[in-house]
């Protein structure tokens, strides 16, 4: 679970969306598949993430504006499920979140 959170966080830090949107269609498709696979894995493993990982994932999804990557394609449903699951997990973790993690979660969900 830590690997998924760290990978999506790093992709967001590298500004993946801007890079993907400027790539050739074949490269865009590969990038979308990779991000989608990570989002699906995150949605399936929500219970395994620590409070810090939940905050990192929500921040990364918000930062990458994954709805831009997925649009109306089936992948957008994966993003919605993942954000919903992570948001519910963040609510459970609320008392344990640091101030920074709370800010990341609120920013991502706001």
């Amino acid at each position: 679970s830590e690997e998924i959170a760290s990978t999506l966080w790093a992709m967001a830090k590298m500004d993946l969306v801007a890079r993907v949107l400027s790539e050739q269609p074949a490269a865009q498709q590969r990038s979308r598949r990779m991000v989608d696979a990570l989002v699906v894995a995150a949605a399936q493993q929500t219970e395994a993430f620590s409070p810090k990982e939940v905050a990192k994932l929500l921040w990364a999804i918000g930062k990458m504006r994954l709805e831009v990557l997925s649009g109306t394609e089936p992948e957008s449903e994966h993003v919605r499920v993942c954000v919903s699951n992570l948001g519910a997990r963040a609510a459970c973790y609320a008392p344990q979140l640091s101030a920074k993690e709370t800010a990341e979660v609120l920013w991502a969900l706001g």
Side-chain angles (χ1 to χ4, degrees), residues 56-77:
K56 279 173 86 170
L57 281 163
L58 284 169
W59 178 86
I61 290 168
K63 171 77 170 137
M64 286 193 289
R65 295 177 36 108
L66 287 182
E67 70 277 5
V68 172
L69 284 177
S70 55
T72 59
E73 298 170 14
E75 292 84 355
S76 61
E77 183 61 24

Side-chain angles (χ1 to χ4, degrees), residues 6-64:
S6 294
T7 301
L8 281 171
W9 179 86
M11 292 170 130
K13 278 300 255 190
M14 294 183 328
D15 202 12
L16 176 72
V17 169
R19 292 173 194 237
V20 167
L21 293 177
S22 67
E23 292 176 350
Q24 298 297 323
Q28 285 181 0
Q29 190 176 35
R30 282 191 305 274
S31 296
R32 287 179 183 179
R33 281 195 309 259
M34 180 175 56
V35 170
D36 189 46
L38 288 166
V39 168
V40 168
Q44 293 172 343
Q45 298 180 33
T46 305
E47 298 295 318
F49 292 118
S50 70
K52 181 179 181 176
E53 291 164 347
V54 167
K56 279 173 86 170
L57 281 163
L58 284 169
W59 178 86
I61 290 168
K63 171 77 170 137
M64 286 193 289

